[in-house]
Amino acid sequence: MVQALPVRDIITTWVNVCPLAAIAPNTGVCALVAGQQVAVFRVGQATDVYAISNYDPFSKAFVLSRGIVGDRNGIPKVASPIYKQNFNLLTGQSFDDENVKIPTYQVRVVSDRVQIAIGEVL
């Protein structure tokens, strides 16, 4: 008989990054969250925010927060400021190379504060 492994709980902690007003519409900022550089983007005038790794695997530099925000067929994206590769802000998938995907992070706005989720497995 095979015993089932115990289910582990994931505890999510939300980390305050900045006020929403600190991110101009259609731009990004970089934040250090749990030791990782995270690029946080505000798309449009509302509270639509996305968070991905700030590391651009094509240029091997931490620059994505300085990229050009836009969309591709209605999907929010950022173009790297160096070689202009495009990344899907929802999934981190490169639009230019199907073999490249960067990490994404849960992000929300609470009381006009941008927050990033970090999780721990118990």
Side-chain angles (χ1 to χ4, degrees):
M1 174 179 252
V2 177
Q3 284 187 322
L5 295 174
V7 175
R8 295 190 173 200
D9 292 325
I10 296 179
I11 303 297
T12 300
T13 302
W14 291 92
V15 176
N16 282 317
V17 173
C18 65
L20 180 63
I23 309 173
N26 298 312
T27 67
V29 297
C30 182
L32 189 61
V33 179
Q36 300 296 314
Q37 285 192 34
V38 178
V40 183
F41 299 94
R42 180 177 179 188
V43 177
Q45 299 290 327
T47 60
D48 294 338
V49 290
Y50 303 91
I52 62 174
S53 172
N54 194 42
Y55 184 72
D56 175 5
F58 294 100
S59 67
K60 298 188 181 359
F62 290 91
V63 294
L64 290 180
S65 64
R66 299 292 183 197
I68 301 165
V69 176
D71 76 270
R72 183 174 286 185
N73 299 323
I75 299 170
K77 63 132 184 132
V78 64
S80 171
I82 296 182
Y83 296 128
K84 308 302 185 253
Q85 276 83 9
N86 294 277
F87 294 92
N88 182 325
L89 290 177
L90 298 170
T91 65
Q93 181 66 51
S94 168
F95 283 111
D96 304 305
D97 184 338
E98 64 184 32
N99 297 312
V100 176
K101 186 175 182 180
I102 59 175
T104 60
Y105 299 86
Q106 287 182 296
V107 61
R108 69 183 184 184
V109 177
V110 175
S111 300
D112 290 322
R113 300 282 308 170
V114 177
Q115 299 179 335
I116 303 289
I118 57 172
E120 290 180 46
V121 177
L122 294 179

